[in-house]
Amino acid sequence: MDSAVLILLILLLPLAGAALNGLVGLFMPSYRSKEGLIGAIGTAMVTVPFLAFVYLFLAYDGEPIVWSAFTWMAAGDLSLDFAYRIDQLSLLMGLVVTGVGSLIHVYSVGYMHGDDGFWRFFAYLNLFIFAMLNLILGDNLVVLFLGWEGVGLCSYLLIGFWYTNLKNSAAANKAFIMNRIGDFAFLIAMFMIFKEIGSLDVGVILTEGLNMPEATIGWIVLLLFIGATGKSAQIPLFTWLPDAMAGPTPVSALIHAATMVTSGLYLLARLSPLVLMAPNVMMVITVVGATTALVAATIAITQNDIKKVLAYSTVSQLGYMFVATGVGAFYVAIFHVMTHAFFKGCLFLGSGSVIHGMHHVEHELAHDGHGHKLDPQDMRTMGGLRKYMPATRMTFLISTLAIAGIPLLAGFFSKDEILFKAFEAASFGFPIGWFAWIVGLITALLTAIYMMRAYVLTFEGAPRWPHADTLHPHESPASMTFPLWVLAGLSMVGGFLGIPAVIAHGDLNWIHHWLAGEGGPVAEKLFDGHVSLALEWGLIALGSAVAIIGVSLGWRWYTTKGLAFDETLKSRFGGLYTLWAGKYFLDEAYDKAVVRPVVGGANHFFAPFDKYIIDGLVNGVAFFTRAVSFVLRYIQTGNVQSYAVSIVFGVLLIVWLMLF
């Protein structure tokens, strides 16, 4: 089949799904109750593009395919096409986005069952997939930026999906505003690139752009990185992501774990040859990534909301990916993007299954008049769910072990590769790599502990909800557990795509050959030296030991003492624990340093202008109209003779004007 036709299908089907479900649902209220039809259309519009990506992947011969739909803008030196690129990087990202996206659509059919906005939800999901595909397939930065903004808009719509709750609307506003800060930096970078080389095509940037002055490249890469920190939730712009958990759980899995938040990493990987020419900025990226990973992990260990634990875990794992980017291992960052989509997608969907079951308990408590209030997301009121939700429990456990880095599971391969690359960089002329490697090891230990804590408090021990002897949650329907099993399976085997180079001299490291091999689209920083095989095996053993120790500690602490161990942690770490539990009080600091001055300044300087000038003009026009009307109304007497006299005088006036 012709590549252009396939690209059109990939792009237009999700858009058609959004338009169909959105417009028909909007104008035909009777359509909104047809959940089976709406879910089938929404899912098919993502599954077919996934199959198209599979076909393109199997038929790919190593030569990038660039297809231009039409010329969008042509003015002076500027010529922009709606052009799309198929290569190793866009194929891999496309498979992840549409593959995981299809599973989450299937899951959403069961999760959103009975919701009044079912049709609207699937329209938004399809629209998000359309925007995300524009982002990863765009052959120039303008098309990519359109997708970039499109996913931001969809994120806003989906976070605030249940908008009647003001807390959800506030979270959506926060995500939208904080992302715009990064987007502004991205825009400036685009202006600088166009000023220097007169083009925003990816191919031109990666050839002529490399000849730009070194300082200019440094500034451009720094601005692109700032843009990435907004979309990919890094310090200082990460605080929107945990609040974004206000959206429905499938949104958290699709947008805030598997796809949109990786956009910043995709951007840097796409322009990796340019990034490699800014070594000072790469140091900044490494430090920010490592610091974010550690900060988010320490917060995660204190959270009681199951989705908040996963949200801070996501921020932490994104930090890992930025570490890989900072040390020049872009393909490893994309490798962790892929494995993270598997196990974090499964974890988020598993948490949604748990919340779905606990909602049943909550409703029973309310229905039977027990007088108890239950937060279905609070792990302190869970426990013992393994008995009632065996499929959810088993898949959650597999993904927990995968993200912890237990050997041979997906997270082990990608996380170990990141740590190794940081160690290798540090050993051969990139000293900041030592900081990243040590912080990475500490974060790996914390990850294993807080994820095992979340698992144990949710599924092990005795139930802690009220009337647990008579009220029981139930396992989720097959439409929700099927995606869990698929993602759990991928969390087990997905890592074998990146078998470490120490085995078979790297011949089995498929993802390296695919992305960074000869003719691959992703650059790689090479060093003047190699880590010895013995040391490399030692590093693998060390990474494995850290994961096993962390999981063992988390299991032992929380199976023997349960929630009481949190009190032990509080007493041991004192003020430090308070700092972690308070999320480093960053929201409070931003509120004091930014929000209040801006709002206060607006109240003092702009409110009077708005009140007296803008409102004054509007009121003045209204007053003038009213005054003129007050006079003119006396002319409207309703007396025909008066109108005839007026007409006669008018005619005489016109004749007089014509004669004299």
Side-chain angles (χ1 to χ4, degrees):
M1 186 178 289
D2 185 59
S3 300
V5 175
L6 288 173
I7 295 172
L8 266 178
L9 280 176
I10 288 171
L11 288 167
L12 294 185
L13 283 179
L15 181 63
L20 185 61
N21 279 333
L23 295 178
V24 177
L26 181 64
F27 294 108
M28 288 181 60
S30 61
Y31 178 76
R32 300 173 187 174
S33 61
K34 302 181 187 305
E35 292 187 358
L37 178 61
I38 294 169
I41 291 173
T43 304
M45 296 303 173
V46 184
T47 305
V48 174
F50 170 69
L51 296 175
F53 268 119
V54 171
Y55 178 85
L56 287 169
F57 175 79
L58 295 175
Y60 189 68
D61 61 2
E63 288 297 320
I65 302 168
V66 177
W67 175 70
S68 176
F70 57 90
T71 298
W72 180 21
M73 286 185 279
D77 295 333
L78 175 66
S79 178
L80 281 175
D81 289 359
F82 254 100
Y84 297 94
R85 170 181 288 261
I86 296 290
D87 62 8
Q88 294 93 328
L89 181 58
S90 58
L91 278 173
L92 187 63
M93 290 294 292
L95 286 169
V96 171
V97 169
T98 54
V100 176
S102 298
L103 292 170
I104 292 174
H105 275 67
V106 172
Y107 177 94
S108 300
V109 173
Y111 189 85
M112 297 301 289
H113 171 64
D115 192 285
D116 291 339
F118 190 91
W119 60 280
R120 190 163 48 89
F121 183 77
F122 274 86
Y124 290 165
L125 281 188
N126 276 181
L127 188 62
F128 168 79
I129 294 290
F130 168 71
M132 191 71 201
L133 290 173
N134 272 275
L135 192 158
I136 61 177
L137 294 179
D139 187 49
N140 59 64
L141 292 187
V142 178
V143 176
L144 189 154
F145 189 73
L146 283 179
W148 184 279
E149 289 300 303
V151 295
L153 171 65
C154 294
S155 174
Y156 169 78
L157 293 172
L158 287 164
I159 294 170
F161 183 74
W162 291 313
Y163 56 85
T164 52
N165 186 332
L166 291 181
K167 186 178 177 184
N168 297 344
S169 298
N173 289 336
K174 184 177 181 180
F176 192 80
I177 293 168
M178 294 197 79
N179 270 277
R180 298 292 78 70
I181 298 171
D183 295 355
F184 183 66
F186 186 8
L187 269 178
I188 296 175
M190 289 169 58
F191 293 149
M192 291 182 67
I193 291 172
F194 185 77
K195 178 178 178 294
E196 290 293 327
I197 62 176
S199 175
L200 292 171
D201 290 343
V202 170
V204 177
I205 294 171
L206 297 183
T207 50
E208 297 179 20
L210 304 183
N211 298 321
M212 290 187 291
E214 186 177 333
T216 304
I217 291 177
W219 280 110
I220 289 172
V221 173
L222 180 62
L223 289 166
L224 291 173
F225 171 62
I226 293 172
T229 59
K231 199 66 80 186
S232 297
Q234 296 294 288
I235 290 176
L237 300 178
F238 76 93
T239 58
W240 66 269
L241 183 57
D243 289 3
M245 298 303 111
T249 301
V251 175
S252 307
L254 176 63
I255 299 182
H256 305 126
T259 54
M260 188 191 82
V261 292
T262 61
S263 302
L265 291 149
Y266 170 79
L267 174 66
L268 296 179
R270 173 58 77 194
L271 301 178
S272 51
L274 198 67
V275 178
L276 283 179
M277 297 187 68
N280 292 332
V281 181
M282 291 179 70
M283 290 176 61
V284 175
I285 295 173
T286 305
V287 171
V288 170
T291 307
T292 302
L294 181 61
V295 165
T298 52
I299 297 174
I301 208 167
T302 65
Q303 298 299 300
N304 294 313
D305 183 316
I306 188 170
K307 285 182 69 177
K308 287 290 180 69
V309 173
L310 298 179
Y312 281 106
S313 169
T314 299
V315 175
S316 180
Q317 296 302 307
L318 288 167
Y320 263 109
M321 299 171 205
F322 274 95
V323 167
T325 299
V327 299
F330 299 93
Y331 80 91
V332 182
I334 298 299
F335 183 29
H336 201 55
V337 164
M338 183 188 72
T339 59
H340 184 260
F342 298 154
F343 51 69
K344 189 53 69 63
C346 186
L347 287 167
F348 264 117
L349 295 185
S351 74
S353 181
V354 168
I355 294 166
H356 195 259
M358 294 305 294
H359 264 306
H360 172 73
V361 175
E362 182 190 22
H363 292 159
E364 288 296 317
L365 284 171
H367 179 71
D368 294 345
H370 290 296
H372 293 287
K373 289 186 177 179
L374 178 72
D375 181 354
Q377 297 184 194
D378 193 333
M379 296 186 297
R380 291 172 296 186
T381 56
M382 297 181 187
L385 291 181
R386 61 177 297 170
K387 179 180 177 182
Y388 307 106
M389 309 182 77
T392 301
R393 171 252 176 181
M394 182 54 71
T395 53
F396 198 95
L397 177 60
I398 292 170
S399 299
T400 295
L401 297 177
I403 192 174
I406 294 298
L408 303 185
L409 298 178
F412 162 75
F413 290 99
S414 54
K415 191 180 295 183
D416 185 75
E417 192 74 356
I418 291 174
L419 291 173
F420 172 72
K421 288 296 180 182
F423 184 91
E424 182 184 47
S427 302
F428 299 105
F430 195 69
I432 204 67
W434 291 119
F435 170 74
W437 181 68
I438 293 170
V439 169
L441 281 176
I442 296 171
T443 305
L445 180 68
L446 292 173
T447 303
I449 292 173
Y450 71 69
M451 283 310 306
M452 188 47 65
R453 170 182 178 265
Y455 166 76
V456 172
L457 292 182
T458 304
F459 294 100
E460 300 293 337
R464 293 185 293 275
W465 60 86
H467 301 281
D469 52 336
T470 56
L471 297 180
H472 305 141
H474 54 76
E475 181 57 282
S476 297
S479 61
M480 293 173 65
T481 54
F482 169 72
L484 293 178
W485 283 113
V486 175
L487 289 170
L490 292 170
S491 301
M492 295 174 69
V493 302
F496 287 94
L497 295 176
I499 293 176
V502 70
I503 299 173
H505 305 290
D507 292 341
L508 302 179
N509 195 333
W510 175 84
I511 200 160
H512 176 262
H513 298 313
W514 179 254
L515 292 175
E518 187 177 353
V522 175
E524 180 182 11
K525 187 174 178 60
L526 300 176
F527 298 97
D528 297 328
H530 296 283
V531 177
S532 67
L533 289 180
L535 184 54
E536 193 166 347
W537 278 111
L539 292 172
I540 292 174
L542 177 61
S544 303
V546 167
I548 294 171
I549 290 170
V551 167
S552 302
L553 288 175
W555 174 267
R556 182 183 171 191
W557 289 341
Y558 287 96
T559 52
T560 54
K561 294 187 176 181
L563 285 170
F565 192 75
D566 284 348
E567 298 302 321
T568 305
L569 284 179
K570 282 182 188 175
S571 61
R572 285 183 184 174
F573 289 95
L576 203 54
Y577 188 92
T578 304
L579 186 66
W580 298 339
K583 306 162 194 171
Y584 291 80
F585 301 101
L586 286 173
D587 277 324
E588 289 78 2
Y590 289 164
D591 186 62
K592 192 172 183 179
V594 179
V595 178
R596 289 185 191 178
V598 170
V599 173
N603 285 333
H604 280 90
F605 299 107
F606 293 106
F609 178 81
D610 186 57
K611 181 177 179 181
Y612 297 110
I613 304 300
I614 303 299
D615 286 358
L617 284 173
V618 173
N619 293 334
V621 170
F623 179 79
F624 175 77
T625 304
R626 184 182 177 187
V628 170
S629 301
F630 182 81
V631 174
L632 291 179
R633 69 178 180 170
Y634 291 104
I635 300 175
Q636 305 298 321
T637 62
N639 189 324
V640 177
Q641 287 86 348
S642 300
Y643 296 150
V645 171
S646 299
I647 292 171
V648 170
F649 274 106
V651 171
L652 290 174
L653 178 62
I654 292 171
V655 171
W656 184 82
L657 289 173
M658 293 177 66
L659 293 176
F660 302 100

